[in-house]
Each structure stands twice: as structure tokens, then as C-alpha cells.
Amino acid sequence: MSQSLTDFSSLIRSVRESAVHLEMRDGYGVDNEIEGFAAWKAGHRLDPDDRASWWLPWLDLVQEVTAKGVLIRRARIVSEPVSDYIAFEHSGTFTNVAAGEQIRWLPRRAASDLLLPGNDFWLFDGRLVQFNIFDGIGRWVHTDQTEDPAVAAQCAAAFEAVWERAIPHEKYTV
């Protein structure tokens, strides 16, 4: 399924209680991050005191949704030492936290005994799973959605197992 940012924004705005996101790749090649990643590699860093320079549509959306009482949590499973891409993500994650997301990091070696789905996913209100499908070099291909209660329960269990072990963003260093 193809999904626009507008479609995803509508979906997350419809959430009533929670949205959780599990990321398991060490690199992504999504179009909207290519320039920022290149700038980061060239030495640019976001200024925590200059929200206008980093307050992007995603962060505005997170702030809007969390202000309604929706809990948004993101867990990232990462290899160590981390890839350049993960270091880039980590350096800008303070913006997600400022917007209202809770974010944790789990070293991949601590996830070896966990049963995890084959793809990154979002789980909305514990019932709708959206799998994000990427190609071998991290480019987004499409999404698959299901409301199958068994799949939703498996994804919820996988996320909670990762969350329980993961390190809060403010304590995780790269």
C-alpha cells in the first residue's frame, strides 16, 4: 500500500490512546532525510535553543497528538558500534523528545532472545498494525496494514519486551 504523509498524519491524528513504533534497521535511505544526513556528516548539528530551525511537520504533529493525551513511544534496536546513520538519528532525537515522544534504544546484542517481527512497525491503539517495508538499502517501499488481533497482540508483546530492556534516550550514548 502506498501512503502519503497526509494519509499517515490523518491516521495518527485518529489515535485515541497510544502509538508505538519499533525500528530495527541500522540505516534508512528515506528521501526526506537525505539532505539532513549529508549535512550532519559534514558537521552540522541542530541547535537545541533554535526550535524554529528544527520544528518540522512531524514534530508539530507529535506535539499536537501528545497534547491530546496520546502516548507516543518509539524503540530503536541498534547494532553497536552504531552506524553513521544511527549516530545521526541519535543526535537529533532530542527534537522528538521535546515534541512529546518517549524514545528508547536497545543494543541489538540485548535483543537476541526476543521474538520480533520481520519489519519495522507502528501499532495504533493496540489494534491496527502498520508494517513499514524497506528495500535492502533502506528505501521505503510500501506499508502493509492489518487489524488481525493475533498480529496486533504479537507486535504489542514484541514492542513491550524491547521497551522493558531499552535505555531511555537521555541515558543512551553513541
Side-chain angles (χ1 to χ4, degrees):
M1 166 166 84
S2 178
Q3 183 178 53
S4 71
L5 182 57
T6 302
D7 294 339
F8 186 79
S9 296
S10 294
L11 178 60
I12 203 160
R13 280 187 177 106
S14 73
V15 172
R16 294 173 186 227
E17 295 177 10
S18 68
V20 300
H21 188 194
L22 183 61
E23 296 178 355
M24 299 180 285
R25 298 181 59 89
D26 286 320
Y28 294 87
V30 292
D31 291 340
N32 66 337
E33 291 181 340
I34 292 172
E35 280 185 39
F37 185 37
W40 179 86
K41 286 169 70 174
H44 178 276
R45 299 298 182 266
L46 296 175
D47 179 353
D49 296 324
D50 184 11
R51 282 189 172 202
S53 72
W54 48 263
W55 208 256
L56 306 171
W58 169 249
L59 301 172
D60 290 333
L61 179 61
V62 168
Q63 187 174 39
E64 173 190 330
V65 172
T66 58
K68 295 188 307 185
V70 173
L71 178 63
I72 300 179
R73 296 182 294 158
R74 180 187 309 248
R76 294 176 171 143
I77 299 174
V78 297
S79 298
E80 293 180 321
V82 300
S83 67
D84 284 350
Y85 181 85
I86 294 300
F88 157 70
E89 265 194 333
H90 186 271
S91 76
T93 294
F94 73 89
T95 65
N96 298 72
V97 172
E101 274 190 81
Q102 295 179 24
I103 300 182
R104 293 186 181 181
W105 304 82
L106 182 64
R108 192 170 308 283
R109 70 181 181 281
S112 295
D113 63 335
L114 298 179
L115 299 177
L116 302 170
N119 293 291
D120 292 7
F121 67 86
W122 279 93
L123 175 61
F124 301 102
D125 286 331
R127 63 167 188 76
L128 173 64
V129 180
Q130 177 171 298
F131 292 104
N132 294 321
I133 312 302
F134 296 91
D135 68 13
I137 58 173
R139 293 177 301 202
W140 179 83
V141 177
H142 68 273
T143 59
D144 291 331
Q145 290 183 347
T146 182
E147 292 189 63
D148 181 323
V151 174
Q154 290 170 337
C155 287
F159 182 87
E160 293 305 329
V162 169
W163 190 257
E164 178 76 22
R165 292 184 186 181
I167 302 162
H169 173 70
E170 56 277 359
K171 294 181 179 176
Y172 184 73
T173 57
V174 297

